[in-house]
Amino acid sequence: MAFVPSLAAILWLCGALLCQSPPPGFRYQLITDGALSCASAMAFAPDGRLLVTERLTGRIRIVQDGSLQAAPWATVPCLANAATEQGLLGIAVDPAFLSNGFVYVYYTTADGLQNRIARLQDLGGVGANFTVLSPANALPTGGSTIHNGGRMVFGFDGKLYVGTGDRGVATLAP
């Protein structure tokens, strides 16, 4: 009996082979080597700066023109515990950043009991006007130190979407 691969297997194999090689002109560039403290998320500003979050320190660092800037753009007051999946977890740049300078973050409060969504504003190249947007207890951690989510993205509809995680409770996951 001869082996006859299914169409799905052939498509999967072709897709896997295509994904193995980067597109022409693609290049890898090491931006920083050990200079970040537990980097957790990043987002590009339309002016070319790369904002990178440090989960444990709460710092938002800037990579500009391929170089990590020495001073943080801002520091978010968050939990600093290396044994958890908490801290400064997410970042998103507002679609209207060039006119309003808004950057959104998702973080765990210093007591570890809540996750919060906050907004900062770029003023003169520095994050300022830290404003908590989520109401108190809207995103409780339930005491869980794992699966706290944090991915943030603006949809095509202009709304901010945030993955809040399941906090280690499978029934909380859709």
Side-chain angles (χ1 to χ4, degrees):
M1 174 182 231
F3 173 72
V4 179
S6 70
L7 179 58
I10 293 170
L11 291 175
W12 176 85
L13 180 60
C14 290
L17 292 174
L18 290 174
C19 292
Q20 299 301 312
S21 301
F26 184 87
R27 65 184 177 100
Y28 294 95
Q29 178 183 356
L30 180 64
I31 295 175
T32 179
D33 188 13
L36 293 169
S37 176
C38 204
S40 55
M42 62 182 157
F44 279 99
D47 59 12
R49 291 179 293 168
L50 176 63
L51 289 83
V52 181
T53 63
E54 292 180 336
R55 183 175 63 83
L56 297 178
T57 66
R59 295 183 299 199
I60 301 172
R61 307 290 300 276
I62 297 288
V63 176
Q64 189 167 14
D65 300 323
S67 297
L68 180 66
Q69 304 301 299
W73 180 77
T75 301
V76 174
C78 66
L79 180 71
N81 184 344
T84 69
E85 295 174 9
Q86 297 175 304
L88 182 52
L89 301 172
I91 190 165
V93 175
D94 193 291
F97 177 84
L98 291 176
S99 61
N100 62 26
F102 292 157
V103 172
Y104 298 83
V105 293
Y106 182 84
Y107 68 100
T108 308
T109 55
D111 62 10
L113 298 177
Q114 296 183 59
N115 291 312
R116 291 272 176 89
I117 298 169
R119 182 181 69 207
L120 296 107
Q121 187 174 29
D122 185 73
L123 296 176
V126 175
N129 298 332
F130 181 82
T131 305
V132 176
L133 300 177
S134 54
N137 299 311
L139 302 166
T141 65
S144 176
T145 61
I146 62 169
H147 301 188
N148 281 281
R151 300 305 171 244
M152 308 178 85
V153 65
F154 276 91
F156 293 116
D157 58 4
K159 294 179 182 177
L160 178 62
Y161 292 88
V162 180
T164 58
D166 67 9
R167 302 185 325 249
V169 181
T171 56
L172 294 177

